[in-house]
Amino acid sequence: MKFSGINLLDELQQPELSELRDVFHSRLAKKGAIIFSPDQDEDLVFIIESGKVRIYLGYEEKEFTLGILEPGDLYSSHAGCFVQALEGSSLLVTDVQSVKRCMAEVPLFNRTMVRVLGKILQNAFSVIGGLAFKDIYARLTAYLLKEAQDSGVPVDGGLELELNLTIEQLSQIVGATRQTVSTLLNNMVREGLVVKRGRSKWFIPNLKALEDVVNT
């Protein structure tokens, strides 16, 4: 599912946006690389051109994922978060001033940035609430439930979900160790809550069963 609901890569192909498109340049990032961090002085706006990046907060040895951006999503480096490439990625990058000069003519950018930052804030409150009130099992189940509701594909009377995340990446999202998440997923398989259908592909036979776990 698109994080912002709008694919800016498609929008930038419109002839009337050629001036805006020209202010961006490509920046490549290897898998696992920290692209931006809170202590950097760069004040940039970027669009994910290819790959996938994670927005997260870090404190001591703990990390809290606030969102995962995909091609067409927009973000800013001065939001006080870490930005990490989950896979080999390419970003379209420009400075904030260049974007400001064009924003008056392209309201879409304003709307998209508000949507992304609003979603990040919503996820931040969700992370805080989950850490305060839910155990890891409930957080993992809640994440799978939300993804299934948003992007699950109806099949065989249930929903098929392709996360495109490794176990390590999934563990970072729910704030647990890789081993813990792997064990919990195996437990969920034994309980019939999920069925593994391939690498990072899951089948949810009964969505209400996941809802019951989350609401318990």
Side-chain angles (χ1 to χ4, degrees):
M1 183 188 71
K2 291 292 296 97
F3 193 78
S4 64
I6 298 173
N7 191 321
L8 283 172
L9 294 177
D10 294 338
E11 299 298 328
L12 288 177
Q13 297 306 311
Q14 299 180 29
E16 60 268 28
L17 298 185
S18 60
E19 182 178 348
L20 177 60
R21 185 170 61 249
D22 290 343
V23 305
F24 286 89
H25 63 275
S26 293
R27 177 181 294 190
L28 300 178
K30 295 181 180 179
K31 178 180 179 180
I34 302 299
I35 307 170
F36 300 107
S37 61
D39 58 355
Q40 288 180 302
D41 294 330
E42 290 183 296
D43 196 2
L44 304 174
V45 171
F46 62 90
I47 302 170
I48 312 303
E49 185 176 29
S50 65
K52 188 182 300 183
V53 305
R54 178 170 70 113
I55 309 298
Y56 72 95
L57 296 174
Y59 178 72
E60 294 181 347
E61 296 183 357
K62 296 181 179 180
E63 297 178 357
F64 307 99
T65 298
L66 302 182
I68 295 176
L69 306 186
E70 299 179 350
D73 281 329
L74 171 75
Y75 202 61
S76 173
S77 67
H78 70 278
C81 299
F82 289 91
V83 179
Q84 180 188 35
L86 289 180
E87 55 192 45
S89 303
S90 175
L91 310 183
L92 293 177
V93 181
T94 190
D95 62 277
V96 170
Q97 293 305 317
S98 294
V99 171
K100 284 182 177 178
R101 288 195 296 269
C102 300
M103 269 187 168
E105 301 175 7
V106 191
L108 178 68
F109 259 78
N110 296 312
R111 297 199 302 271
T112 303
M113 182 62 83
V114 168
R115 288 189 187 188
V116 170
L117 293 179
K119 186 67 174 179
I120 288 286
L121 182 61
Q122 179 186 25
N123 287 358
F125 283 119
S126 177
V127 168
I128 292 169
L131 291 172
F133 303 113
K134 295 180 181 179
D135 61 20
I136 296 171
Y137 185 71
R139 294 203 299 271
L140 177 61
T141 307
Y143 179 79
L144 294 176
L145 173 63
K146 182 65 166 58
E147 290 299 304
Q149 291 171 332
D150 288 345
S151 56
V153 178
V155 62
D156 299 336
L159 292 173
E160 192 167 78
L161 176 63
E162 190 161 0
L163 291 177
N164 290 319
L165 296 170
T166 65
I167 297 298
E168 182 176 357
Q169 291 166 348
L170 184 56
S171 67
Q172 291 171 336
I173 291 173
V174 300
T177 66
R178 183 185 185 283
Q179 182 178 0
T180 297
V181 169
S182 180
T183 299
L184 291 177
L185 284 173
N186 288 333
N187 290 343
M188 295 176 75
V189 170
R190 285 195 293 270
E191 293 166 4
L193 293 173
V194 300
V195 178
K196 188 164 186 176
R197 287 194 166 176
R199 185 178 180 184
S200 197
K201 182 178 289 187
W202 303 87
F203 175 69
I204 316 295
N206 186 348
L207 201 63
K208 187 177 183 306
L210 288 186
E211 293 174 346
D212 291 341
V213 172
V214 173
N215 295 327
T216 298

